[in-house]
């Protein structure tokens, strides 16, 4: 078992409930990463929906759970021929931490036209990119990945942000777990916040994150780029794109976040 | 009362339920428009959440309702100092049509930094834009607006799409209802699908649409641009931006849609 699979494992209890354990190994300052919690919830939903592939998932982060056991309540909302929709709540006792809604489909059966206009990020080869030490990014989640940052997106590490609002990196799991649609949900939320490259090194709690899973990733390294274009009165959107080793767009996300602490 | 307000009105029944009527006046081929149903659900949520302003809303379109009475069940999920989160279900009997989750806040109290990089769409003055006749766009929703299309985005009306995948237009309500955050949710979904300008004139049912409301719109005309960049095996994302008369970005949205009929 790879660590991503161990740490997102869910155990069916029957009656639409799953047990899981939030570890402290995918966190920043003791708060579990949002992509990690999303992957855990999607894994539970995958057990109750008839289609194999998450297609779009929206997560509202209500409160950050401490590491420890959680319960995931799932609800199959709709089951159609091409799509099914379900909802999951990650909770402990009567305290709900995360609510998510997702549509699943079967991407292998999708057979419509293809016309991709977006371009992969302009990332130099890994040997020309920057691999930060554990001291530079002390978050436990950073130890779960091998990350090679675009040389132009490392200013935030030394208080010298470029002002681009964009961070791009090569990424793979530290234990080289192969990627699939589930892990892409983790990858869209794995980089530091793009606003760091605007010079704003503050907590950026996510209000809502929506990820679209667009294609099965090919084996090998992924490239991920996060970008914030519009910061308005402290609220910002951050977009992510993930590209695979065959230059295919495999995931997109957009989140709404708040530059200062949530009330 | 303006027609948008009449047609999205909800009546509280107590116990978390609202009654409403889906009209046939905001439809395409007899199916009510998604933005219209979203606005109706948000109006119900606004009655039960303590914050005044919708901030982010995600809607899953499970089935298209026929016009007629519906019930909206709402659930206040979280109530915090700066944010509250709620869920709404639009249903008739035990048949659920739409499920949405939204965060509300108070944008007037937001006081963080602002740095906007996106640019308004490059739209010529209205007198140089194209105002289609009712015959050209027979959908009832088109009669609810005054629309002036960018001259480069009218090819789809005569089977001569530009291939840009982008449609931009000036827009206001036909009865000149002033815009607010609620009506922006309608506006992000009011244009024809952007894939029409790729020459793909097919039904494009929305799986999921997420709208971010970024600022109160100033009085006057809005500009809206919709864009599809990536069509992959029949699934596509469509993004919308809405800009106000003071050149401010007031709303963004992204939806995942399917080029052929849903199963």
């Amino acid at each position: 078992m790879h660590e991503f699979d161990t740490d997102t494992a869910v155990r069916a209890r029957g009656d639409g409930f799953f047990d899981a354990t939030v570890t402290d190994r995918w966190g920043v300052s003791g708060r579990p990463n949002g992509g990690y919690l999303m992957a855990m919830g999607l894994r539970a939903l995958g057990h109750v929906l008839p289609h194999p592939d998450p297609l779009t998932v929206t997560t509202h982060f209500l409160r950050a759970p401490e590491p420890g056991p959680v319960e995931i309540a799932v609800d199959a909302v709709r089951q159609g021929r091409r799509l099914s929709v379900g909802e999951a709540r990650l909770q402990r006792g009567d305290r709900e931490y995360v609510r998510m809604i997702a549509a699943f489909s079967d991407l292998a059966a999708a057979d419509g036209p293809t016309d991709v206009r977006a371009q992969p990020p302009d990332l130099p080869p890994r040997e020309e990119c920057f691999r930060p030490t554990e001291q530079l990014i002390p978050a436990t989640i950073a130890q779960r990945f091998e990350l090679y940052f675009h040389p132009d997106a490392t200013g935030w590490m030394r208080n010298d942000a470029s002002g681009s609002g964009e961070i791009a990196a090569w990424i793979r799991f530290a234990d080289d777990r192969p990627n699939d649609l589930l892990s892409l949900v983790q990858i869209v939320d794995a980089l530091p916040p793009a606003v760091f490259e605007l010079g704003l090194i503050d907590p950026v709690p996510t209000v809502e994150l929506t990820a679209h899973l667009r294609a099965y990733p090919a084996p090998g390294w992924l490239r991920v780029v996060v970008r914030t274009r519009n910061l308005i009165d402290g609220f910002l959107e951050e977009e992510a794109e993930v590209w695979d080793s065959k230059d295919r767009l495999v995931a997109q996300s957009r989140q709404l976040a708040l530059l200062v602490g949530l009330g």
Side-chain angles (χ1 to χ4, degrees), chain A:
Chain A
M1 281 277 269
H2 293 281
E3 52 189 18
F4 176 72
D5 301 296
T6 306
D7 291 355
T8 59
V10 300
R11 291 164 296 283
R13 226 169 60 196
D15 66 357
F17 287 89
F18 292 80
D19 290 313
T21 301
V22 174
T23 77
D24 59 2
R25 309 194 321 148
W26 305 78
V28 180
S29 308
R31 298 163 78 102
N33 168 264
Y36 168 56
L37 300 175
M38 286 175 71
M40 186 179 276
L42 274 185
R43 203 184 273 283
L45 277 172
H47 282 281
V48 300
L49 295 177
H51 293 88
D53 298 326
L55 178 67
T56 168
V57 52
T58 292
T59 305
H60 279 253
F61 297 95
L62 310 172
R63 304 168 181 91
E66 300 285 321
V70 291
E71 171 185 270
I72 304 172
V74 299
D75 177 19
V77 173
R78 175 188 186 268
Q79 309 200 13
R81 188 173 59 84
R82 293 184 72 151
L83 290 168
S84 47
V85 175
E87 191 171 84
R89 306 171 190 200
L90 200 146
Q91 55 202 27
R92 187 179 290 151
D94 58 3
R95 199 162 171 78
E96 183 177 350
Y97 297 99
V98 166
R99 186 171 296 202
M100 52 199 285
I101 181 165
F104 278 58
S105 186
D106 181 356
L107 286 188
D111 58 359
T114 293
D115 181 348
V116 174
R117 306 288 173 98
Q119 294 291 324
D122 183 25
L123 259 175
R126 275 187 301 287
E127 55 273 22
E128 297 169 25
C129 289
F130 181 73
R131 185 173 182 191
T133 60
E134 275 186 32
Q135 285 71 34
L136 264 174
I137 310 184
T140 60
I141 189 176
Q143 300 166 30
R144 306 278 85 74
F145 296 102
E146 273 187 70
L147 279 164
Y148 288 80
F149 287 87
H150 193 299
D152 296 346
T154 58
W156 62 274
M157 300 179 201
R158 46 177 200 276
N159 270 322
D160 184 28
S162 67
S164 67
E166 182 173 313
I167 298 177
W170 295 93
I171 188 168
R172 71 174 183 186
F173 283 107
D175 64 2
D176 204 17
R177 178 197 186 274
N179 280 290
D180 52 19
L181 297 172
L182 192 69
S183 68
L184 294 180
V185 170
Q186 169 65 83
I187 300 282
V188 297
D189 201 34
L191 289 199
V195 285
F196 282 12
E197 269 304 294
L198 292 175
L200 299 160
I201 315 282
D202 282 308
V204 195
T206 302
V207 178
E208 170 267 320
L209 190 155
T210 296
H212 294 173
L213 293 316
R214 305 298 304 266
Y216 303 119
W221 286 83
L222 298 173
R223 284 156 295 170
V224 57
V225 55
V226 293
R227 193 178 291 123
T228 287
R229 290 189 309 154
N230 305 295
L231 170 66
I232 302 178
D233 297 337
F235 287 102
L236 58 101
E237 95 284 1
E238 179 181 287
E239 299 183 344
E241 286 179 2
V242 185
W243 293 79
D244 75 2
S245 59
K246 294 194 169 167
D247 275 354
R248 290 185 317 172
L249 176 68
V250 291
Q252 288 175 288
S253 70
R254 184 186 280 168
Q255 62 174 278
L256 190 78
L258 183 52
L259 194 58
V260 288
L262 289 179

